[in-house]
Every structure is written in structure tokens, then in C-alpha cells.
Amino acid sequence: MNVKEYLSQAMWLDRIINNKLQQLDSLKCLAQKVTASYSLDKVSSSKSRSPMENSIVKIIDLEHEIDEDIDNLVELKRKISKDIGSLDNMSYRLLLEMRYIGGQSWEDVASNIGYDVRTVFRIHGKALKEIEKIKMCQ
């Protein structure tokens, strides 16, 4: 994995979490539409779940998945922040933090720093080389 892929992991995991949160909202909406069956004629001894119970189990499982992903994201951002924080050049640090920790677009990074996008890309390339040197020494 190259340095850019390493730094981008947090952005991708954040997007995955957001997608799962949308799925969770969708499941909750569907669960509200599920009706319970109150048939007294059922004599089966199998322990099959009702549609409502199935929906709730799926929601709980997805919530646990999201919790694990959030824990992983927090740890990953901590590690990436530590690596970025080891840079001496403050503009490199700011740019990398805005992009890879804050998840900002290149246009937003350029606007917030006060550079044009091409300059941001040039600084980004230099910053990646510095991070690569640091990672090789570890």
C-alpha cells in the first residue's frame, strides 16, 4: 500500500460508515411497516422468527457493525494524525489534515489555505514524499 492509499483509508471508511447509516435508516423505516402476526392456529414447534423480529435483529446487527467501523475509524485517524503531525512543514501538515482527516475536497482545501488547486496538488505531492520518508524509517 502506498502512502496516498494509507492516508485515504480514513476517508473511505468514513464513506462506508455513512453508507451503512443510510442503510440503517432504511431498515428502520421498513421495520415500521412490518406488522406482527398474531395467529393462534400456529402449532409448529420450530422457533422461526416473526417478520418484526427479523427486522429488529437486522437493525441490531447493522448497528453493531457500524459501532465497530466507528471504533476502527477513530483508531485509524489517530494513527494517521500522528504520522501527519510528525511533519516539520506546517503547510504540509495542514493540507494533509484537511484532506485526509477532515475529508475536504481539493477545492475546499485550496480555498481554505488560499492557494489555487494546482499549487495544492504540488504541495500535496511533496508532503506525500515526506510522509513516505517517515513511514520508511519506522
Side-chain angles (χ1 to χ4, degrees):
M1 169 182 324
N2 66 33
V3 174
K4 189 174 178 181
E5 291 170 339
Y6 164 70
L7 295 173
S8 296
Q9 291 178 99
M11 289 174 33
W12 286 109
L13 186 52
D14 192 34
R15 290 177 183 153
I16 290 169
I17 290 169
N18 287 333
N19 185 49
K20 286 182 180 180
L21 287 170
Q22 289 176 350
Q23 291 176 25
L24 182 62
D25 286 342
S26 179
L27 275 175
K28 286 180 178 179
C29 286
L30 287 173
Q32 291 174 353
K33 295 177 183 178
V34 173
T35 57
S37 174
Y38 297 108
S39 173
L40 297 175
D41 296 335
K42 191 172 185 179
V43 184
S44 172
S45 64
S46 67
K47 294 188 177 191
S48 64
R49 295 182 184 155
S50 70
M52 177 64 83
E53 188 177 0
N54 285 336
S55 297
I56 292 170
V57 168
K58 288 176 184 175
I59 289 170
I60 291 170
D61 288 345
L62 187 54
E63 285 174 339
H64 288 298
E65 237 181 88
I66 292 169
D67 287 343
E68 285 180 30
D69 286 345
I70 290 171
D71 290 344
N72 292 336
L73 179 62
V74 168
E75 180 61 24
L76 185 59
K77 281 189 174 187
R78 187 193 63 74
K79 286 171 41 182
I80 291 171
S81 290
K82 182 180 175 190
D83 289 338
I84 291 172
S86 64
L87 294 173
D88 293 330
N89 187 310
M90 294 301 278
S91 62
Y92 292 177
R93 287 170 59 176
L94 178 61
L95 185 146
L96 293 176
E97 285 181 7
M98 291 173 76
R99 176 65 180 170
Y100 296 108
I101 302 300
Q104 294 184 24
S105 69
W106 289 116
E107 292 77 16
D108 289 342
V109 171
S111 174
N112 290 331
I113 294 178
Y115 295 134
D116 62 45
V117 176
R118 286 188 330 183
T119 303
V120 167
F121 287 148
R122 192 178 78 250
I123 294 169
H124 176 256
K126 292 177 183 179
L128 289 180
K129 288 178 184 174
E130 290 298 314
I131 290 284
E132 191 170 5
K133 289 178 190 175
I134 291 168
K135 294 297 285 177
M136 288 174 31
C137 293
Q138 291 179 345

